[in-house]
Amino acid sequence: MITGDHAVTAAAIGHELGIEGTALTGAQFAAMSDEDLKSKLPEIGVVARVAPEDKIRLVTMLQQLDNIVAMTGTALTTRQP
């Protein structure tokens, strides 16, 4: 699960959804080499507070490892009366 939430919040939500594994911050994720990331991906359940380029990096890595990746999201818009 990739989310903009704080890592602790994201881990709690992931747990409720049955997503187990380590919760990383975007900074921790970005600091990992591609080789290290590929080897640890099976242990990672949640990546929180990631930059857009890190989302693309994660999706690309998952696809390279023959995973099917789907994305959902929300856009918050406000209107003035």
Coordinates of all heavy atoms in Angstrom, one line a residue:
M1 N 0.9 -1.2 0.0 CA 0.0 0.0 0.0 C 0.9 1.2 0.0 O 1.8 1.3 0.8 CB -0.9 0.0 1.3 CG -1.8 1.2 1.4 SD -3.0 1.0 2.7 CE -2.1 1.6 4.1
I2 N 0.6 2.1 -0.9 CA 1.3 3.4 -0.9 C 0.3 4.5 -0.5 O -0.8 4.5 -1.1 CB 1.8 3.7 -2.4 CG1 2.6 2.6 -3.0 CG2 2.7 5.0 -2.4 CD1 2.9 2.8 -4.4
T3 N 0.7 5.3 0.4 CA -0.2 6.3 0.9 C 0.5 7.6 1.3 O 1.7 7.6 1.5 CB -1.0 5.8 2.1 OG1 -1.9 6.8 2.5 CG2 0.0 5.4 3.2
G4 N -0.2 8.7 1.3 CA 0.3 9.9 1.8 C 0.2 10.1 3.3 O 0.6 11.1 3.9
D5 N -0.5 9.1 4.0 CA -0.7 9.2 5.4 C 0.7 9.1 6.1 O 1.6 8.6 5.6 CB -1.6 8.1 5.9 CG -3.1 8.3 5.5 OD1 -3.5 9.5 5.4 OD2 -3.8 7.3 5.3
H6 N 0.7 9.4 7.4 CA 1.8 9.2 8.3 C 2.0 7.7 8.4 O 1.1 6.9 8.3 CB 1.5 9.8 9.6 CG 2.7 9.8 10.6 ND1 3.0 8.7 11.3 CD2 3.6 10.8 10.9 CE1 4.1 9.0 12.0 NE2 4.4 10.2 11.8
A7 N 3.3 7.3 8.6 CA 3.6 5.9 8.6 C 2.9 5.1 9.7 O 2.4 4.0 9.4 CB 5.1 5.7 8.7
V8 N 2.7 5.7 10.8 CA 2.0 5.0 11.9 C 0.5 4.8 11.6 O 0.0 3.7 11.8 CB 2.2 5.7 13.3 CG1 1.3 5.1 14.4 CG2 3.6 5.8 13.7
T9 N -0.1 5.8 11.0 CA -1.5 5.8 10.6 C -1.6 4.8 9.5 O -2.5 3.9 9.5 CB -2.0 7.1 10.2 OG1 -1.8 8.1 11.2 CG2 -3.4 7.1 9.7
A10 N -0.7 4.8 8.5 CA -0.8 3.9 7.4 C -0.6 2.5 7.8 O -1.3 1.6 7.3 CB 0.3 4.3 6.4
A11 N 0.3 2.2 8.7 CA 0.5 0.8 9.2 C -0.8 0.3 9.9 O -1.2 -0.8 9.7 CB 1.7 0.8 10.2
A12 N -1.4 1.2 10.7 CA -2.7 0.8 11.4 C -3.8 0.5 10.4 O -4.5 -0.5 10.5 CB -3.1 1.9 12.3
I13 N -3.9 1.3 9.4 CA -4.9 1.1 8.3 C -4.6 -0.2 7.5 O -5.5 -1.0 7.3 CB -5.1 2.3 7.4 CG1 -5.6 3.5 8.2 CG2 -5.9 2.0 6.2 CD1 -5.5 4.8 7.4
G14 N -3.4 -0.3 7.2 CA -2.9 -1.5 6.5 C -3.2 -2.8 7.3 O -3.7 -3.8 6.7
H15 N -3.0 -2.7 8.5 CA -3.3 -3.9 9.4 C -4.7 -4.2 9.4 O -5.1 -5.4 9.3 CB -2.8 -3.6 10.8 CG -3.0 -4.8 11.8 ND1 -2.3 -5.9 11.7 CD2 -3.9 -4.9 12.8 CE1 -2.7 -6.8 12.6 NE2 -3.7 -6.2 13.3
E16 N -5.6 -3.2 9.5 CA -7.0 -3.4 9.4 C -7.5 -4.1 8.1 O -8.4 -4.8 8.1 CB -7.8 -2.1 9.6 CG -7.8 -1.6 11.1 CD -8.6 -0.4 11.3 OE1 -9.6 -0.2 10.5 OE2 -8.3 0.4 12.2
L17 N -6.7 -3.8 7.1 CA -7.1 -4.3 5.7 C -6.4 -5.6 5.5 O -6.5 -6.2 4.4 CB -6.6 -3.3 4.6 CG -7.4 -2.0 4.6 CD1 -6.7 -1.0 3.6 CD2 -8.8 -2.2 4.3
G18 N -5.6 -6.1 6.4 CA -4.9 -7.4 6.3 C -3.6 -7.3 5.5 O -3.0 -8.2 5.1
I19 N -3.1 -6.0 5.4 CA -1.8 -5.8 4.8 C -0.7 -5.8 5.9 O -0.7 -4.9 6.7 CB -1.8 -4.5 4.0 CG1 -2.8 -4.5 2.9 CG2 -0.4 -4.2 3.4 CD1 -3.1 -3.1 2.3
E20 N 0.1 -6.8 5.9 CA 1.1 -7.0 6.9 C 2.5 -6.6 6.3 O 2.6 -6.4 5.1 CB 1.1 -8.4 7.4 CG -0.2 -8.8 8.1 CD -0.6 -8.0 9.3 OE1 0.3 -7.5 10.0 OE2 -1.8 -7.8 9.5
G21 N 3.4 -6.5 7.1 CA 4.8 -6.2 6.7 C 5.3 -4.9 7.2 O 4.5 -4.2 7.9
T22 N 6.5 -4.6 6.9 CA 7.1 -3.4 7.4 C 6.5 -2.1 6.8 O 6.1 -2.1 5.6 CB 8.6 -3.4 7.0 OG1 9.2 -4.6 7.5 CG2 9.3 -2.2 7.6
A23 N 6.3 -1.1 7.6 CA 5.9 0.2 7.1 C 7.1 1.1 7.0 O 7.8 1.3 8.0 CB 4.8 0.8 8.1
L24 N 7.3 1.6 5.8 CA 8.4 2.5 5.6 C 7.9 4.0 5.3 O 6.9 4.1 4.8 CB 9.2 2.1 4.3 CG 9.9 0.8 4.3 CD1 10.6 0.6 2.9 CD2 10.9 0.7 5.4
T25 N 8.8 4.9 5.7 CA 8.5 6.3 5.3 C 9.0 6.5 3.9 O 9.9 5.7 3.4 CB 9.2 7.3 6.2 OG1 10.6 7.1 6.1 CG2 8.8 7.1 7.7
G26 N 8.6 7.5 3.2 CA 9.1 7.9 1.9 C 10.6 8.1 1.9 O 11.3 7.7 1.0
A27 N 11.1 8.7 3.0 CA 12.5 8.9 3.1 C 13.3 7.6 3.2 O 14.4 7.5 2.5 CB 12.8 9.8 4.3
Q28 N 12.8 6.7 4.0 CA 13.5 5.4 4.1 C 13.4 4.7 2.7 O 14.4 4.1 2.3 CB 12.8 4.5 5.1 CG 13.0 5.0 6.5 CD 12.1 4.3 7.5 OE1 10.9 4.1 7.2 NE2 12.6 3.9 8.6
F29 N 12.3 4.7 2.0 CA 12.1 4.1 0.7 C 13.1 4.7 -0.3 O 13.8 4.0 -1.0 CB 10.7 4.3 0.3 CG 10.4 3.7 -1.1 CD1 10.2 2.3 -1.3 CD2 10.5 4.5 -2.2 CE1 9.9 1.8 -2.5 CE2 10.3 4.0 -3.5 CZ 10.0 2.6 -3.6
A30 N 13.2 6.0 -0.3 CA 14.0 6.7 -1.3 C 15.5 6.4 -1.1 O 16.3 6.4 -2.0 CB 13.8 8.2 -1.2
A31 N 15.9 6.2 0.2 CA 17.3 5.9 0.5 C 17.7 4.5 0.1 O 18.9 4.3 0.1 CB 17.5 6.1 2.0
M32 N 16.8 3.6 -0.2 CA 17.2 2.2 -0.5 C 17.6 2.1 -2.0 O 17.0 2.8 -2.9 CB 16.0 1.3 -0.3 CG 15.6 1.2 1.1 SD 14.0 0.2 1.3 CE 14.7 -1.4 1.1
S33 N 18.6 1.4 -2.2 CA 19.1 1.1 -3.6 C 18.0 0.2 -4.3 O 17.3 -0.5 -3.6 CB 20.4 0.4 -3.6 OG 20.3 -0.9 -3.1
D34 N 18.1 0.2 -5.6 CA 17.1 -0.7 -6.3 C 17.3 -2.2 -5.9 O 16.4 -2.9 -5.8 CB 17.3 -0.5 -7.8 CG 16.7 0.8 -8.3 OD1 16.1 1.5 -7.6 OD2 16.9 1.1 -9.5
E35 N 18.6 -2.6 -5.8 CA 18.9 -4.0 -5.5 C 18.3 -4.3 -4.1 O 17.7 -5.4 -3.9 CB 20.4 -4.3 -5.5 CG 21.0 -4.1 -6.9 CD 21.2 -2.7 -7.4 OE1 21.3 -1.8 -6.5 OE2 21.1 -2.5 -8.6
D36 N 18.6 -3.4 -3.1 CA 18.1 -3.6 -1.7 C 16.6 -3.7 -1.7 O 16.0 -4.5 -1.1 CB 18.6 -2.5 -0.8 CG 18.5 -2.9 0.6 OD1 18.5 -4.1 1.0 OD2 18.4 -1.9 1.4
L37 N 16.0 -2.7 -2.4 CA 14.5 -2.7 -2.5 C 13.9 -3.9 -3.1 O 13.0 -4.5 -2.5 CB 14.1 -1.4 -3.3 CG 12.6 -1.2 -3.4 CD1 12.0 -1.1 -2.0 CD2 12.3 0.0 -4.3
K38 N 14.5 -4.4 -4.2 CA 14.0 -5.7 -4.8 C 14.0 -6.8 -3.8 O 13.1 -7.7 -3.8 CB 14.7 -6.0 -6.1 CG 14.3 -5.1 -7.2 CD 15.0 -5.5 -8.5 CE 14.5 -4.7 -9.7 NZ 15.2 -5.0 -10.9
S39 N 15.1 -6.9 -3.1 CA 15.2 -8.0 -2.1 C 14.3 -7.9 -0.9 O 13.9 -8.9 -0.4 CB 16.7 -8.2 -1.7 OG 17.0 -7.1 -0.8
K40 N 13.9 -6.7 -0.6 CA 13.1 -6.5 0.6 C 11.6 -6.3 0.3 O 10.8 -6.2 1.2 CB 13.6 -5.3 1.4 CG 15.0 -5.6 2.1 CD 15.5 -4.5 3.0 CE 16.8 -4.9 3.5 NZ 17.4 -3.9 4.4
L41 N 11.3 -6.1 -1.0 CA 9.9 -5.9 -1.3 C 8.9 -6.9 -0.7 O 7.8 -6.5 -0.2 CB 9.7 -5.9 -2.8 CG 9.8 -4.5 -3.5 CD1 9.7 -4.6 -5.0 CD2 8.9 -3.5 -2.9
P42 N 9.2 -8.2 -0.6 CA 8.2 -9.1 0.0 C 8.0 -8.8 1.5 O 6.9 -9.2 2.0 CB 8.9 -10.5 -0.2 CG 9.8 -10.3 -1.3 CD 10.3 -8.9 -1.2
E43 N 8.9 -8.1 2.1 CA 8.7 -7.8 3.5 C 8.0 -6.5 3.8 O 7.7 -6.2 4.9 CB 10.1 -7.8 4.2 CG 10.9 -9.0 4.1 CD 12.4 -8.8 4.4 OE1 12.7 -7.8 5.0 OE2 13.2 -9.7 4.0
I44 N 7.8 -5.7 2.8 CA 7.3 -4.3 2.9 C 5.8 -4.4 2.6 O 5.3 -4.9 1.6 CB 8.0 -3.3 1.9 CG1 9.5 -3.3 2.2 CG2 7.3 -2.0 2.0 CD1 10.3 -2.5 1.2
G45 N 5.0 -3.8 3.6 CA 3.6 -3.8 3.4 C 3.0 -2.4 3.1 O 2.1 -2.3 2.4
V46 N 3.7 -1.4 3.6 CA 3.2 0.0 3.5 C 4.4 0.9 3.3 O 5.4 0.8 3.9 CB 2.5 0.4 4.8 CG1 2.0 1.8 4.7 CG2 1.2 -0.5 5.1
V47 N 4.2 1.8 2.3 CA 5.1 2.9 2.1 C 4.3 4.2 2.3 O 3.4 4.4 1.6 CB 5.8 2.8 0.8 CG1 6.9 3.9 0.6 CG2 6.5 1.5 0.5
A48 N 4.7 5.0 3.2 CA 4.0 6.2 3.6 C 4.7 7.5 3.3 O 6.0 7.5 3.3 CB 3.6 6.2 5.1
R49 N 4.0 8.6 3.0 CA 4.5 9.9 2.7 C 5.6 9.8 1.6 O 6.7 10.3 1.8 CB 5.1 10.5 4.0 CG 4.2 10.7 5.1 CD 3.4 12.0 5.0 NE 2.3 12.0 5.9 CZ 2.1 13.1 6.7 NH1 2.8 14.2 6.6 NH2 1.0 13.1 7.5
V50 N 5.2 9.3 0.5 CA 6.2 9.2 -0.6 C 6.0 10.3 -1.7 O 4.9 10.8 -1.8 CB 6.0 7.8 -1.4 CG1 6.4 6.7 -0.4 CG2 4.6 7.6 -1.9
A51 N 7.1 10.6 -2.3 CA 7.0 11.6 -3.4 C 6.5 10.9 -4.7 O 6.6 9.6 -4.8 CB 8.5 12.1 -3.7
P52 N 5.9 11.6 -5.6 CA 5.4 11.0 -6.8 C 6.4 10.1 -7.6 O 6.0 9.1 -8.1 CB 5.0 12.2 -7.7 CG 4.7 13.3 -6.7 CD 5.7 13.1 -5.6
E53 N 7.7 10.5 -7.7 CA 8.6 9.8 -8.4 C 8.9 8.4 -7.7 O 9.2 7.4 -8.3 CB 9.9 10.5 -8.6 CG 10.6 11.0 -7.4 CD 10.2 12.4 -6.9 OE1 9.2 12.9 -7.4 OE2 10.9 12.9 -6.0
D54 N 8.8 8.4 -6.3 CA 8.9 7.1 -5.6 C 7.8 6.2 -5.9 O 7.9 5.0 -5.9 CB 9.1 7.4 -4.1 CG 10.4 8.1 -3.8 OD1 11.4 7.8 -4.5 OD2 10.5 8.9 -2.9
K55 N 6.6 6.7 -6.1 CA 5.4 5.9 -6.4 C 5.7 5.2 -7.7 O 5.5 4.0 -7.8 CB 4.2 6.7 -6.5 CG 3.7 7.3 -5.2 CD 2.5 8.1 -5.3 CE 2.1 8.8 -4.0 NZ 0.9 9.6 -4.2
I56 N 6.2 5.9 -8.7 CA 6.5 5.3 -10.0 C 7.6 4.3 -9.9 O 7.5 3.2 -10.5 CB 6.9 6.4 -11.0 CG1 5.8 7.4 -11.2 CG2 7.4 5.8 -12.3 CD1 4.5 6.9 -11.8
R57 N 8.6 4.6 -9.1 CA 9.7 3.6 -8.9 C 9.2 2.3 -8.3 O 9.5 1.3 -8.7 CB 10.7 4.3 -7.9 CG 11.9 3.4 -7.6 CD 12.9 4.1 -6.8 NE 14.0 3.2 -6.4 CZ 14.5 3.1 -5.1 NH1 14.0 3.9 -4.2 NH2 15.4 2.3 -4.9
L58 N 8.3 2.4 -7.3 CA 7.7 1.2 -6.6 C 6.9 0.4 -7.6 O 7.0 -0.8 -7.7 CB 6.9 1.6 -5.4 CG 6.3 0.5 -4.6 CD1 7.3 -0.6 -4.2 CD2 5.6 1.0 -3.4
V59 N 6.0 1.1 -8.3 CA 5.2 0.4 -9.3 C 6.0 -0.3 -10.3 O 5.8 -1.4 -10.7 CB 4.2 1.4 -9.9 CG1 3.5 0.8 -11.1 CG2 3.1 1.8 -8.9
T60 N 7.0 0.4 -10.8 CA 7.9 -0.2 -11.9 C 8.6 -1.4 -11.3 O 8.7 -2.5 -12.0 CB 8.9 0.9 -12.3 OG1 8.3 2.0 -12.9 CG2 9.9 0.3 -13.4
M61 N 9.1 -1.3 -10.1 CA 9.8 -2.5 -9.5 C 8.9 -3.7 -9.3 O 9.2 -4.8 -9.6 CB 10.4 -2.1 -8.1 CG 11.5 -1.2 -8.2 SD 12.9 -1.9 -7.5 CE 14.1 -0.6 -7.9
L62 N 7.7 -3.4 -8.8 CA 6.7 -4.5 -8.6 C 6.3 -5.1 -10.0 O 6.2 -6.4 -10.1 CB 5.4 -3.9 -8.0 CG 5.6 -3.6 -6.5 CD1 4.3 -2.8 -6.0 CD2 5.7 -4.8 -5.7
Q63 N 6.2 -4.3 -11.0 CA 5.9 -4.9 -12.3 C 7.1 -5.7 -12.9 O 6.9 -6.7 -13.5 CB 5.5 -3.8 -13.3 CG 4.2 -3.2 -13.0 CD 3.9 -1.9 -13.9 OE1 4.7 -1.2 -14.3 NE2 2.6 -1.7 -14.1
Q64 N 8.3 -5.2 -12.6 CA 9.5 -6.0 -13.1 C 9.5 -7.4 -12.4 O 10.1 -8.3 -12.9 CB 10.7 -5.2 -12.8 CG 10.9 -4.0 -13.7 CD 12.1 -3.2 -13.2 OE1 12.7 -3.4 -12.2 NE2 12.4 -2.2 -14.1
L65 N 9.0 -7.5 -11.2 CA 8.9 -8.7 -10.5 C 7.6 -9.5 -10.7 O 7.3 -10.4 -10.0 CB 9.1 -8.4 -9.0 CG 10.4 -7.8 -8.6 CD1 10.4 -7.4 -7.1 CD2 11.6 -8.8 -8.8
D66 N 7.0 -9.2 -11.9 CA 5.8 -9.9 -12.3 C 4.6 -9.7 -11.4 O 3.7 -10.6 -11.4 CB 6.1 -11.4 -12.6 CG 7.1 -11.5 -13.8 OD1 7.0 -10.7 -14.7 OD2 7.9 -12.5 -13.7
N67 N 4.5 -8.6 -10.7 CA 3.3 -8.3 -9.9 C 2.3 -7.5 -10.8 O 2.7 -6.8 -11.6 CB 3.6 -7.5 -8.7 CG 4.4 -8.3 -7.7 OD1 3.8 -9.0 -6.9 ND2 5.7 -8.2 -7.7
I68 N 1.0 -7.7 -10.5 CA 0.0 -6.9 -11.1 C -0.3 -5.8 -10.1 O -0.5 -6.0 -8.9 CB -1.3 -7.7 -11.3 CG1 -1.0 -8.8 -12.3 CG2 -2.4 -6.8 -11.8 CD1 -2.1 -9.8 -12.5
V69 N -0.2 -4.5 -10.7 CA -0.3 -3.4 -9.8 C -1.6 -2.6 -10.2 O -1.8 -2.4 -11.4 CB 0.9 -2.5 -10.0 CG1 0.8 -1.2 -9.1 CG2 2.2 -3.3 -9.7
A70 N -2.4 -2.2 -9.2 CA -3.5 -1.3 -9.5 C -3.4 -0.1 -8.6 O -2.8 -0.1 -7.6 CB -4.8 -2.1 -9.1
M71 N -4.0 1.0 -9.1 CA -4.0 2.2 -8.3 C -5.4 2.8 -8.2 O -6.2 2.8 -9.1 CB -3.2 3.3 -9.0 CG -3.0 4.6 -8.2 SD -2.4 6.0 -9.1 CE -0.8 5.6 -9.6
T72 N -5.7 3.2 -7.0 CA -6.9 3.9 -6.7 C -6.5 5.2 -6.0 O -5.4 5.3 -5.4 CB -7.9 3.1 -5.8 OG1 -7.3 2.9 -4.5 CG2 -8.3 1.8 -6.5
G73 N -7.4 6.1 -5.9 CA -7.1 7.4 -5.2 C -8.3 8.3 -5.2 O -9.3 8.0 -5.7
T74 N -8.1 9.4 -4.5 CA -9.1 10.3 -4.3 C -8.5 11.7 -4.7 O -7.4 12.0 -4.5 CB -9.7 10.4 -2.9 OG1 -8.6 10.7 -2.0 CG2 -10.4 9.1 -2.6
A75 N -9.4 12.5 -5.2 CA -9.0 13.9 -5.4 C -10.0 14.8 -4.6 O -11.2 14.6 -4.6 CB -9.1 14.3 -6.9
L76 N -9.4 15.7 -3.8 CA -10.2 16.5 -3.0 C -10.4 17.9 -3.7 O -9.4 18.5 -4.0 CB -9.6 16.7 -1.6 CG -10.3 17.6 -0.6 CD1 -11.6 17.0 -0.3 CD2 -9.4 17.7 0.6
T77 N -11.6 18.2 -3.9 CA -11.9 19.5 -4.5 C -12.9 20.2 -3.6 O -13.7 19.6 -3.0 CB -12.4 19.4 -5.9 OG1 -13.5 18.5 -5.9 CG2 -11.4 18.9 -6.9
T78 N -12.8 21.5 -3.6 CA -13.7 22.3 -2.8 C -14.3 23.3 -3.8 O -13.7 23.8 -4.7 CB -13.1 23.0 -1.6 OG1 -12.0 23.8 -2.1 CG2 -12.5 22.0 -0.6
R79 N -15.5 23.7 -3.5 CA -16.2 24.7 -4.3 C -16.7 25.8 -3.3 O -17.2 25.5 -2.3 CB -17.4 24.1 -5.0 CG -17.0 23.2 -6.1 CD -18.2 22.8 -6.9 NE -17.8 22.0 -8.0 CZ -18.6 21.5 -8.9 NH1 -19.9 21.7 -8.8 NH2 -18.2 20.7 -9.8
Q80 N -16.6 27.0 -3.8 CA -17.1 28.1 -3.0 C -18.6 28.3 -3.4 O -19.0 28.1 -4.6 CB -16.4 29.4 -3.4 CG -14.9 29.3 -3.0 CD -14.7 29.2 -1.5 OE1 -15.5 29.8 -0.7 NE2 -13.7 28.4 -1.1
P81 N -19.5 28.5 -2.4 CA -20.9 28.7 -2.7 C -21.2 29.9 -3.6 O -20.5 30.8 -3.7 CB -21.6 28.8 -1.4 CG -20.5 28.9 -0.4 CD -19.2 28.6 -1.0

